[in-house]
Amino acid sequence: MSAAPVEHFGTDATAPSLLEEANTLMERLPGYRVEIIEGRLTVTPPADVAHSRALNRLVRPFIAAGLDDGATEVHQAIGLWLPTGAEDFAIPDLSIVDADVDEHLVENNCYDPVCFRLVLEVTSSNYRADLRTKVAAYADAKVPVYLIVDRKHQRLHTLTEPLASGYDNHQVYAPGQTVALPESIGAEVTLDVAEILKAGEPRRP
């Protein structure tokens, strides 16, 4: 996303629930990402073009590997219901899910984390949320693989083996390296770090 999230905190017992407030904001701010993580409502502006280019580049090897045809599907910006709070949910940039994902709808257009094989975030100025807050949230949800394209620090992170509030295995890759993702996502996929990070850089006139 192109700017740091704006956080809202509900303290008045007579006020709408966080989930109601989130839905109201989604209606008022089309194109913005609204999430609730650990009881904190966050609103993030629309992605910039470079973010979209990186995401598009990432989709290609997943599609080429057949991950969007058969036992799994590849989706952008679908809701993941989180166990971290009564109303918590996140909207990863990209997800690989089981093909029966429709059967795992929880509420508010969000799906049970049991059907998620991989979630991916491409960072922008709110990179701290992707590198910290969401690490704990996705680990608590037992998402097997969390992939982070860290555009600020020019690194690609793979996190596997979820534990309580974190991942046991955290690998960091730099340009010039390749990343072989776990076959548990449903296919063999290798990513070129330099290619992905270059796609995520703004093009200068």
Side-chain angles (χ1 to χ4, degrees):
M1 306 295 99
S2 59
V6 177
E7 297 173 349
H8 301 264
F9 303 89
T11 56
D12 185 353
T14 63
S17 70
L18 277 178
L19 198 56
E20 291 170 335
E21 186 177 351
N23 289 333
T24 298
L25 287 169
M26 288 180 195
E27 293 176 2
R28 290 179 179 172
L29 301 170
Y32 283 62
R33 182 189 299 188
V34 180
E35 301 170 296
I36 303 173
I37 301 176
E38 296 181 347
R40 179 174 295 177
L41 195 157
T42 303
V43 181
T44 310
D48 60 17
V49 171
H51 179 284
S52 181
R53 288 195 190 105
L55 197 54
N56 288 337
R57 186 60 57 92
L58 281 156
V59 169
R60 296 173 192 171
F62 295 138
I63 300 296
L67 288 168
D68 198 43
D69 183 22
T72 58
E73 296 177 351
V74 180
H75 292 284
Q76 296 186 36
I78 62 169
L80 190 165
W81 197 254
L82 296 169
T84 50
E87 300 175 292
D88 282 9
F89 68 93
I91 305 175
D93 284 323
L94 184 75
S95 302
I96 297 174
V97 298
D98 293 337
D100 66 352
V101 61
D102 299 85
E103 300 174 14
H104 296 280
L105 180 64
V106 178
E107 65 175 287
N108 213 52
N109 290 329
C110 294
Y111 297 85
D112 192 315
V114 70
C115 64
F116 285 74
R117 299 192 183 191
L118 173 146
V119 295
L120 182 151
E121 300 283 5
V122 177
T123 68
S124 284
S125 57
N126 60 334
Y127 64 92
R128 291 181 182 85
D130 294 331
L131 292 168
R132 299 176 186 172
T133 309
K134 288 190 174 181
V135 169
Y138 293 147
D140 283 342
K142 296 183 172 54
V143 176
V145 182
Y146 178 25
L147 184 63
I148 308 169
V149 179
D150 182 357
R151 296 192 294 159
K152 178 176 176 63
H153 303 102
Q154 291 291 286
R155 294 291 184 268
L156 193 149
H157 300 250
T158 61
L159 297 92
T160 59
E161 303 173 24
L163 301 172
S165 299
Y167 284 85
D168 194 42
N169 187 357
H170 183 174
Q171 303 293 324
V172 184
Y173 299 88
Q177 295 181 292
T178 58
V179 180
L181 297 178
E183 292 184 26
S184 62
I185 66 174
E188 294 183 6
V189 176
T190 300
L191 303 176
D192 184 312
V193 176
E195 181 180 285
I196 293 167
L197 290 171
K198 182 174 177 58
E201 295 177 355
R203 295 177 183 174
R204 306 300 180 191

